[in-house]
Amino acid sequence: MLNFLSCRENGTLDPLALVRAEATRRTFSLELSKEQDVKRIHASGVNSLDLDPVEGRYLISGGADGVIAIYDTHNLSGTPSNTSEAVCTVGRSHRHVHKYSVETVRWYPHDTGLFTSSSMDKTLKVWDTNVLLPAEVFQFEGTVYSHAMSPVAKKHCLIAVATMTSIVTLCDLKSGSSTHILKGHRAAVKCARWSPRNPYLLATGSQDNKVLLWDVRSAKSSLMSLDQHNGELATSTAAVNTAHNGHVNGLCFTPEGLHLLSFGTDNRLRLWDTATGRNTLVNYGKICNESKKSVQFTVSCGSSPDVVFVPDDSSIAMFDVFGGTSLHRLVGHYNYVQCCVFNPDTQELYSGGSDSNILVWVPDLGRGEDYEESKKQKAEPSQRSQTTQAYQDTWSSDED
Amino acid sequence: MMSKRKALMPDVFKRRKRVRVGGLVRPTPSSPQWGSDNEEHISAAVPSDTKAAIMYLCSLFPKQMYEGRIPPIIMKHQLYSVVKNKTLVDRQLNDLRNAHEVKMMKLGNEVDEYCLVFTEDYKNHIATFYGQELSKTVERFLEDVVSRTNEMCVTQQIMTDHNFTDVEITQLVNAGVLTVRDLGSWWLAIPGAGLFVKHFTKGKKAVLASIRKSKYKEILKQELESRKMTASVKLGMSYHIHDIIGGDLVTCIETTSGELLRLKDD
């Protein structure tokens, strides 16, 4: 590290190399935070988490009890130990609270003034953060499993909504109504994600085992259906063009948008090339996935090699994205992990599970010992004064 | 756990000392990126880890017991217990299949369970299995189809391309080199593999039951290997241990007295 810093000073090192090296070290050394935690608001499982994309500061969570909470993750207390308090909540007593479980919450990609939430009560609500009232409510025919807004789109504000009906609906924030529907799946759509590279590219995963890629401008059906066998085994009538041998309930693009990861109830994770739609045949092994709903997983940003964090039963498995080797397992939750988000600036990871906890995973910043010592020094005098008061004794062994 | 994790962490700051020979700094062998691991260097240097692993697993297969009734068959997932990088295994296996050295076939109860046989073994097996009765159709099938495709299944299209009539296809199915998969598509198969599947599933069940019965549902690999279960485990204990490790049915935990196998409770 010091060598890298001096090289950087001399100008003999590429500026990005230092950033990349440190980001990699931090990503690989993630562990459950001893100092930080998030206040427990939800009475039942946490279904969805999102970190605001502007500052990476405000964490929003949606729970199975219908409650939405926003937390401030910055530590302003001046001490290393900190509990992230809720800035505001949409509690059960709120007038506009979701009737049933909140499945997905998302920040508006350009601002913290707006967030969206979708729920089992068949609605999608667009909230004004400052007054905490819904600005718009969209009604659907089936329960909403997931929704997404494009992080890079400049020319449209479409929300792709995946519902229990096989249709993907696009809702336009400009007009407050649904602009068009995407037909192609044959069963409930579990997840939808926009590409971070192409503002019109949408990926959806469904209960019919398929992952479809859409160009929302095209009037035709989907661009392509991802095929796990790359057309080699396309002879069977039953298993034609499926991405998984089970329901697809998780999707995630890599940060540069060149690859797509899909997660299915066949306990597999697959990596796809988004340009060609081919399976890259990276084998991550068996990852337990029994969720009937959408699972939110994430990929690290800026580290080399990049790491994917996938909920695996009650732990989070870390894999090398392009190599497929298992790197580590983050153990801490008491029940199924439902969602995780990665903070690309500080390399922290937040995860929510059915045990209604939100856990903070922090990298080893190499200052643990100093903290421990300072804590001891602070704690010791107070302890000593208390004990001496209780067991005061004039006798001293120093005189012998 | 911690030491394993440290080994996996890429050397981002190039902290490892370089080997100095006669005052000269030797460049580290072809590591342009810190992403490359030591283990990968070794596996890249040896021609093909996967082939070696297949040969090793085939050597575990009890050939004498079957007296040539079955060729050495191994399951694909067993390889993952020998070579740890699963992606590498898949890629090298694809190369081997494209070079027609190894045949992959559908066998077993699970959706993604496949078995592997050396092409040479497979052909010899069919020749000895039928001996004098080897029909012209089967012989032609071996030469025209088996030697040329690397697919696990054949379609009506491929069969008609090679001038096989419907009657001949029926003959092949009866001979056991094809099994029906779907309308107009067949899996390649090994005649007489039923005996293997029977022993395999029975043995697997017995091994898993023996782990389940032990305290905390975990057992030292060494202890399991030394258990005598010849009646139910016909294929050999180490063959089954490779199967359950590779199939992710148990987790391997490194301890000071060897590897510990803990049953995953699903």
Side-chain angles (χ1 to χ4, degrees):
Chain A
M1 178 79 184
L2 291 175
N3 180 25
F4 261 56
L5 281 175
S6 64
C7 282
R8 180 70 206 95
E9 239 167 55
N10 304 337
T12 50
L13 192 72
D14 182 26
L16 269 177
L18 176 64
V19 177
R20 201 154 257 267
E22 179 61 9
T24 310
R25 189 192 66 77
R26 286 188 181 190
T27 309
F28 274 70
S29 64
L30 275 176
E31 55 189 17
L32 189 60
S33 175
K34 294 185 183 96
E35 313 282 359
Q36 294 178 53
D37 57 351
V38 177
K39 191 164 173 142
R40 197 162 152 169
I41 300 282
H42 297 284
S44 52
V46 179
N47 281 338
S48 177
L49 285 174
D50 196 24
L51 203 63
D52 88 82
V54 186
E55 285 177 283
R57 176 172 180 178
Y58 295 104
L59 183 74
I60 186 166
S61 71
D65 50 359
V67 173
I68 299 167
I70 299 173
Y71 312 88
D72 185 355
T73 60
H74 277 199
N75 181 0
L76 304 172
S77 64
T79 53
S81 62
N82 178 45
T83 303
S84 300
E85 297 286 339
V87 181
C88 53
T89 55
V90 181
R92 287 263 35 123
S93 56
H94 194 279
R95 213 156 22 110
H96 298 282
V97 70
H98 278 290
K99 217 168 159 189
Y100 306 128
S101 159
V102 175
E103 288 305 300
T104 311
V105 279
R106 294 248 158 233
W107 284 108
Y108 178 62
H110 311 293
D111 193 358
T112 52
L114 203 77
F115 67 88
T116 50
S117 69
S118 60
S119 157
M120 281 285 177
D121 64 9
K122 305 181 184 178
T123 58
L124 168 78
K125 290 184 181 177
V126 183
W127 299 80
D128 184 332
T129 320
N130 295 313
V131 292
L132 222 61
L133 287 172
E136 192 74 59
V137 179
F138 295 94
Q139 279 282 348
F140 300 95
E141 279 171 33
T143 55
V144 185
Y145 283 115
S146 169
H147 71 272
M149 278 193 82
S150 174
V152 287
K154 295 275 190 287
K155 293 194 174 157
H156 70 77
C157 324
L158 293 173
I159 308 177
V161 187
T163 64
M164 207 173 81
T165 56
S166 59
I167 298 164
V168 178
T169 315
L170 297 181
C171 298
D172 195 348
L173 281 183
K174 279 182 194 157
S175 64
S177 63
S178 100
T179 53
H180 49 299
I181 56 171
L182 304 174
K183 265 185 176 174
H185 285 295
R186 292 199 175 156
V189 187
K190 288 285 172 81
C191 47
R193 282 291 177 118
W194 291 90
S195 160
R197 189 179 192 85
N198 177 352
Y200 300 103
L201 187 71
L202 177 74
T204 55
S206 152
Q207 209 165 333
D208 61 3
N209 305 356
K210 284 187 184 180
V211 174
L212 297 183
L213 291 185
W214 310 83
D215 187 324
V216 295
R217 294 168 298 187
S218 116
K220 285 189 302 180
S221 183
S222 61
L223 276 181
M224 56 180 123
S225 171
L226 302 184
D227 181 13
Q228 56 182 325
H229 301 293
N230 287 333
E232 279 168 22
L233 212 68
T235 46
S236 168
T237 45
V240 70
N241 269 353
T242 54
H244 284 269
N245 296 322
H247 308 163
V248 183
N249 58 2
L251 285 173
C252 182
F253 279 94
T254 52
E256 80 287 353
L258 293 176
H259 292 88
L260 172 72
L261 282 150
S262 67
F263 191 30
T265 53
D266 57 350
N267 301 330
R268 297 281 159 189
L269 188 68
R270 292 191 207 281
L271 183 74
W272 309 88
D273 187 334
T274 39
T276 58
R278 286 182 76 80
N279 186 355
T280 54
L281 299 171
V282 175
N283 192 337
Y284 300 91
K286 195 176 163 190
I287 311 164
C288 190
N289 180 5
E290 285 166 1
S291 179
K292 297 241 176 347
K293 301 190 287 189
S294 137
V295 176
Q296 203 186 327
F297 64 99
T298 187
V299 179
S300 75
C301 188
S303 99
S304 168
D306 264 324
V307 174
V308 57
F309 301 92
V310 200
D312 180 2
D313 207 32
S314 63
S315 57
I316 301 166
M318 285 169 65
F319 292 97
D320 176 356
V321 173
F322 300 106
T325 46
S326 171
L327 300 171
H328 191 50
R329 184 172 284 276
L330 303 174
V331 183
H333 279 284
Y334 295 120
N335 208 330
Y336 294 113
V337 181
Q338 303 276 4
C339 49
C340 46
V341 281
F342 187 76
N343 187 339
D345 302 324
T346 59
Q347 283 79 33
E348 282 174 3
L349 184 79
Y350 299 91
S351 66
S354 300
D355 58 355
S356 66
N357 286 329
I358 297 172
L359 296 186
V360 188
W361 307 87
V362 288
D364 172 21
L365 293 173
R367 56 185 184 199
E369 284 168 24
D370 295 346
Y371 270 165
E372 295 281 311
E373 269 175 29
S374 71
K375 232 168 64 180
K376 259 185 209 163
Q377 278 171 1
K378 269 185 199 168
E380 267 177 10
S382 62
Q383 265 181 13
R384 198 169 288 163
S385 62
Q386 276 175 6
T387 48
T388 46
Q389 271 169 14
Y391 305 102
Q392 215 159 30
D393 198 345
T394 49
W395 181 80
S396 165
S397 64
D398 290 346
E399 288 167 13
D400 299 327
Chain B
M1 196 67 189
M2 207 56 215
S3 64
K4 189 198 162 201
R5 199 174 169 192
K6 259 183 195 160
L8 283 169
M9 181 156 349
D11 181 28
V12 282
F13 295 115
K14 303 193 172 64
R15 229 174 290 165
R16 279 170 210 163
K17 279 177 189 154
R18 289 174 186 179
V19 187
R20 282 174 183 271
V21 182
L24 271 170
V25 179
R26 217 190 241 177
T28 43
S30 66
S31 56
Q33 278 254 313
W34 49 68
S36 51
D37 205 0
N38 275 352
E39 259 177 70
E40 278 170 37
H41 281 304
I42 296 163
S43 55
V46 175
S48 166
D49 266 7
T50 311
K51 196 178 175 187
I54 296 172
M55 281 152 89
Y56 162 67
L57 287 166
C58 278
S59 74
L60 290 179
F61 188 88
K63 265 172 272 182
Q64 310 83 352
M65 203 182 72
Y66 291 109
E67 292 162 344
R69 277 177 293 169
I70 303 173
I73 304 171
I74 63 160
M75 303 307 283
K76 186 187 164 199
H77 58 251
Q78 281 178 325
L79 293 174
Y80 301 143
S81 67
V82 183
V83 186
K84 293 294 173 210
N85 190 338
K86 294 187 168 99
T87 313
L88 189 78
V89 172
D90 285 1
R91 297 223 166 110
Q92 291 184 343
L93 190 60
N94 271 347
D95 293 344
L96 286 174
R97 282 174 63 200
N98 290 338
H100 300 292
E101 283 186 56
V102 170
K103 285 262 137 211
M104 188 153 95
M105 287 175 210
K106 182 85 190 81
L107 195 71
N109 310 320
E110 302 284 316
V111 182
D112 47 358
E113 256 188 358
Y114 302 105
C115 75
L116 302 171
V117 196
F118 278 112
T119 314
E120 208 55 34
D121 285 344
Y122 180 64
K123 284 185 186 165
N124 290 342
H125 165 66
I126 291 176
T128 50
F129 192 80
Y130 289 106
Q132 301 293 318
E133 297 155 33
L134 186 68
S135 65
K136 278 270 155 57
T137 328
V138 176
E139 216 168 315
R140 197 152 65 86
F141 175 72
L142 284 183
E143 264 172 37
D144 289 358
V145 182
V146 175
S147 311
R148 282 186 200 160
T149 66
N150 52 4
E151 303 271 333
M152 286 182 286
C153 62
V154 287
T155 54
Q156 183 92 51
Q157 189 63 46
I158 294 171
M159 293 306 268
T160 43
D161 284 351
H162 289 289
N163 301 322
F164 281 99
T165 61
D166 282 354
V167 181
E168 282 171 324
I169 291 171
T170 315
Q171 277 174 9
L172 290 172
V173 173
N174 286 339
V177 289
L178 285 181
T179 48
V180 181
R181 178 197 183 194
D182 214 329
L183 195 68
S185 92
W186 296 269
W187 294 113
L188 288 183
I190 306 163
L195 190 64
F196 165 78
V197 174
K198 190 178 151 196
H199 288 164
F200 180 72
T201 39
K202 203 177 158 196
K204 188 175 184 171
K205 224 183 237 174
V207 172
L208 287 176
S210 123
I211 300 176
R212 193 170 290 123
K213 274 184 221 156
S214 51
K215 202 176 182 184
Y216 305 128
K217 292 182 184 175
E218 57 190 27
I219 191 169
L220 281 174
K221 191 176 163 190
Q222 215 175 0
E223 198 188 323
L224 188 65
E225 270 168 350
S226 65
R227 282 202 180 170
K228 287 200 165 58
M229 296 167 65
T230 37
S232 50
V233 183
K234 291 225 168 59
L235 292 164
M237 194 51 111
S238 39
Y239 186 86
H240 280 292
I241 290 175
H242 279 298
D243 167 51
I244 57 174
I245 295 175
D248 272 336
L249 296 168
V250 290
T251 39
C252 273
I253 300 154
E254 294 284 344
T255 66
T256 43
S257 45
E259 270 179 285
L260 184 78
L261 307 179
R262 182 180 294 159
L263 200 67
K264 282 189 186 172
D265 42 309
D266 291 305

